[in-house]
């Protein structure tokens, strides 16, 4: 077999469909987000403004976070030394887990190297530990959740997105005696809609299910202390497991789960994705700890963030650009074609210095390709004017369909 030809054909298929992804080489400026330097294939640089980062609040550039990382490097050096069962629990791991448990009003927390791993490892472990468990999963759940459910080999039921009645039907048709896990997200990252958490909790109570809530696109951003949608709506105590990330609003890297002390201990003791993986770098844990503590006390960033998102949505709608409905800070702009989506982002980058990545299948369904804009508290009115002017000019040049 010609292995290289198989690889080449696989890449060609992506290119033929317009789904081949090119990663832009950029370097962000310390303390100057959203400004960054772009490097082309020849090493030539140009200045760009980032409009698609998941560093939603710009906390990766916050002075408290940077200072905490500097202090940790000076005191402890760089790496963690291995897995926690071999290298032990670093002081910052314990501090951060206590802080995260407190953020969500839970007894305990467990750190992972990423939000993807925290979902995959936890869901696969819980569904294996609970005998004959059935997992009820929202059809729009993240790939990491789907991965974990599949790895568990547990029976599963997929319910229509945010459709409480469809979930009820699945629960009612199941054996009342079997363990049940309802897995869903709070903020769905591509459409920006929000789950009916209270109604799902009601069903969990009625059918004796446990609830698993992915809050990665909400922690730090919603609630009085940044505990997410579940905190904002006063529902955190009704959720069995709250999962989150340190890589978005908190601006660092890593994932975590929170829950009862017993549940956390089970995952710690049984999940291969935790046991056999080098632990989170202590300097990153130090930065995350500083970020979480700051956002627990400060609502300035959250309030400004919501105002920025609302302003940009209105500006796009006023210009007739097809901004999709969104209940959250996510600002999706529909294109509907993968080749066109890539062409738009190339023009924005090359001619306007605006960096935004095309969002194509399989991240979103075919025919719903889009730009996903993420305004932050530090995107100014002037930056927004430049963005919307550029989008309007590109839309007109390419003849892209406007909003009805």
């Amino acid at each position: 077999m010609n292995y290289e030809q198989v690889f080449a054909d696989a890449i060609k298929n992506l290119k033929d469909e317009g789904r081949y992804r090119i990663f832009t080489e950029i370097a962000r400026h310390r303390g100057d987000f959203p400004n960054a330097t772009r490097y082309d294939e020849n090493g030539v640089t140009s200045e760009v403004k980032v409009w698609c980062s998941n560093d939603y609040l710009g906390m990766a550039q916050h002075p408290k976070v940077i200072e905490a990382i500097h202090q940790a490097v000076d005191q402890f050096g760089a790496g963690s030394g291995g897995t926690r069962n071999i290298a032990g629990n670093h002081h910052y791991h314990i501090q951060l887990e206590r802080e995260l448990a407190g953020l969500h009003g839970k007894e305990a927390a467990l750190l992972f190297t990423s939000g993807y791993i925290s979902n995959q490892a936890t869901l696969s472990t819980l569904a294996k530990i609970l005998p004959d468990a059935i997992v009820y999963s929202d059809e729009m759940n993240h790939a990491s959740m789907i991965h974990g459910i599949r790895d568990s080999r547990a029976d599963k039921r997929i319910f229509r997105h945010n459709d409480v009645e469809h979930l009820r039907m699945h629960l009612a048709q199941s054996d009342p005696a079997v363990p049940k896990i309802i897995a869903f997200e709070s903020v769905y990252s591509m459409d920006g809609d929000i789950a009916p958490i209270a109604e799902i909790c009601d069903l969990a109570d009625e059918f004796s299910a446990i609830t698993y809530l992915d809050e990665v696109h909400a922690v730090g951003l919603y609630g009085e202390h940044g505990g997410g949608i579940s905190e904002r709506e006063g529902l955190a105590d009704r959720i069995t497991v709250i999962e989150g990330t340190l890589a978005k609003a908190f601006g660092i890297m890593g994932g975590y789960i929170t829950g009862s002390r017993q549940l956390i201990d089970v995952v710690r003791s049984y999940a291969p994705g935790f046991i056999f993986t080098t632990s989170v770098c202590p300097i990153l844990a130090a930065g995350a700890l500083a970020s979480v503590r700051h956002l627990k006390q400060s609502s300035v960033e959250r309030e400004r963030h919501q105002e920025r998102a609302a302003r940009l949505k209105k500006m796009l709608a006023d210009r007739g650009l097809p901004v999709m409905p969104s209940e959250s800070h996510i600002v999706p702009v529909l294109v509907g074609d993968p080749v066109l989506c890539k062409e738009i982002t190339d023009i924005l980058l090359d001619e306007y210095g605006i960096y935004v990545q095309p969002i194509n299948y399989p991240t979103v369904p075919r025919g719903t390709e889009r730009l996903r804009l993420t305004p932050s508290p530090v995107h100014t009115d002037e930056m927004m004017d430049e963005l919307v002017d550029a989008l309007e000019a590109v839309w007109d040049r390419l003849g892209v369909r406007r909003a009805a």
Side-chain angles (χ1 to χ4, degrees):
M1 174 178 283
N2 186 336
Y3 294 101
E4 290 298 317
Q5 188 59 52
V6 174
F7 302 149
D9 289 344
I11 294 299
K12 182 178 183 299
N13 289 339
L14 290 177
K15 291 182 175 179
D16 289 346
E17 293 178 25
R19 295 196 293 118
Y20 181 71
R21 299 176 187 229
I22 297 173
F23 299 154
T24 303
E25 182 180 352
I26 66 169
R28 305 201 305 174
H29 301 165
R30 174 182 167 178
D32 194 27
F33 183 71
N35 294 306
T37 299
R38 174 206 179 191
Y39 297 80
D40 70 13
E41 61 274 13
N42 299 312
V44 177
T45 63
S46 58
E47 297 306 298
V48 300
K49 289 181 173 61
V50 179
W51 276 99
C52 56
S53 175
N54 282 343
D55 182 10
Y56 291 130
L57 301 178
M59 288 300 294
Q61 307 297 323
H62 196 282
K64 289 183 181 179
V65 173
I66 293 173
E67 178 60 25
I69 290 174
H70 275 302
Q71 288 181 1
V73 169
D74 291 341
Q75 186 174 1
F76 299 113
S80 65
T83 62
R84 285 170 73 171
N85 63 309
I86 291 175
N89 290 324
H90 194 278
H91 178 58
Y92 277 129
H93 294 153
I94 299 302
Q95 285 190 298
L96 181 53
E97 285 174 344
R98 288 173 180 163
E99 201 74 33
L100 292 167
L103 176 65
H104 296 293
K106 300 299 182 187
E107 292 178 347
L110 189 65
L111 281 175
F112 293 84
T113 51
S114 71
Y116 192 106
I117 297 299
S118 58
N119 272 334
Q120 184 276 328
T122 304
L123 282 167
S124 63
T125 299
L126 291 179
K128 285 177 183 175
I129 289 289
L130 294 169
D132 302 318
I134 301 175
V135 184
Y136 304 82
S137 176
D138 188 291
E139 68 177 343
M140 296 299 289
N141 277 343
H142 190 266
S144 58
M145 302 174 76
I146 295 169
H147 185 180
I149 295 165
R150 285 177 177 166
D151 282 355
S152 74
R153 299 186 180 179
D155 197 1
K156 63 179 181 293
R157 306 284 187 273
I158 310 301
F159 62 93
R160 288 188 294 268
H161 180 49
N162 283 346
D163 190 332
V164 177
E165 289 307 311
H166 197 221
L167 173 58
R168 169 183 284 280
M169 182 198 77
H170 282 306
L171 289 164
Q173 290 174 350
S174 303
D175 182 347
V178 302
K180 301 172 179 65
I181 304 171
I182 304 173
F184 61 109
E185 302 181 39
S186 58
V187 175
Y188 288 85
S189 64
M190 290 301 137
D191 289 339
D193 54 341
I194 295 174
I197 300 176
E199 290 89 340
I200 291 174
C201 288
D202 290 343
L203 287 179
D205 291 344
E206 182 179 348
F207 291 96
S208 299
I210 65 173
T211 47
Y212 183 100
L213 178 62
D214 177 319
E215 286 259 39
V216 297
H217 290 278
V219 291
L221 303 174
Y222 299 90
E224 183 181 355
H225 304 100
I229 300 295
S230 56
E231 185 195 20
R232 185 189 74 176
E233 299 183 3
L235 297 168
D237 62 323
R238 300 185 67 188
I239 303 295
T240 311
V241 180
I242 296 177
E243 183 266 351
T245 184
L246 304 169
K248 294 180 172 59
F250 295 127
I252 310 296
M253 181 181 178
Y256 65 89
I257 58 168
T258 63
S260 72
R261 190 164 283 106
Q262 197 90 299
L263 184 150
I264 296 299
D265 201 17
V266 162
V267 176
R268 181 190 70 86
S269 301
Y270 281 89
F274 175 81
I275 295 169
F276 298 107
T277 302
T278 297
S279 60
V280 172
C281 181
I283 62 174
L284 296 181
L289 180 62
S291 185
V292 172
R293 285 176 172 170
H294 174 78
L295 290 174
K296 272 187 174 181
Q297 303 299 321
S298 175
S299 61
V300 172
E301 293 85 359
R302 283 188 284 277
E303 291 169 1
R304 171 73 170 172
H305 186 230
Q306 290 296 315
E307 183 276 329
R308 295 285 81 188
R311 185 179 192 275
L312 182 57
K313 290 176 189 177
K314 185 177 187 306
M315 291 175 67
L316 293 166
D318 288 347
R319 299 284 190 96
L321 293 163
V323 58
M324 300 168 69
S326 166
E327 304 172 69
S328 67
H329 57 282
I330 306 296
V331 184
V333 182
L334 181 65
V335 177
D337 177 86
V339 175
L340 195 55
C341 203
K342 179 67 167 60
E343 186 176 4
I344 289 170
T345 58
D346 285 347
I347 293 173
L348 289 172
L349 183 62
D350 293 336
E351 299 183 21
Y352 295 92
I354 291 171
Y355 175 58
V356 55
Q357 282 285 67
I359 305 295
N360 295 331
Y361 177 84
T363 307
V364 295
R366 297 179 194 274
T368 69
E369 293 82 4
R370 68 197 65 177
L371 309 184
R372 179 181 176 272
L373 304 173
T374 54
S376 75
V378 293
H379 282 92
T380 65
D381 287 354
E382 181 182 11
M383 291 176 188
M384 289 191 179
D385 290 339
E386 292 172 354
L387 171 67
V388 176
D389 286 346
L391 287 172
E392 188 172 37
V394 174
W395 245 251
D396 289 344
R397 185 202 305 186
L398 299 179
V400 186
R401 180 173 58 86
R402 293 289 195 107

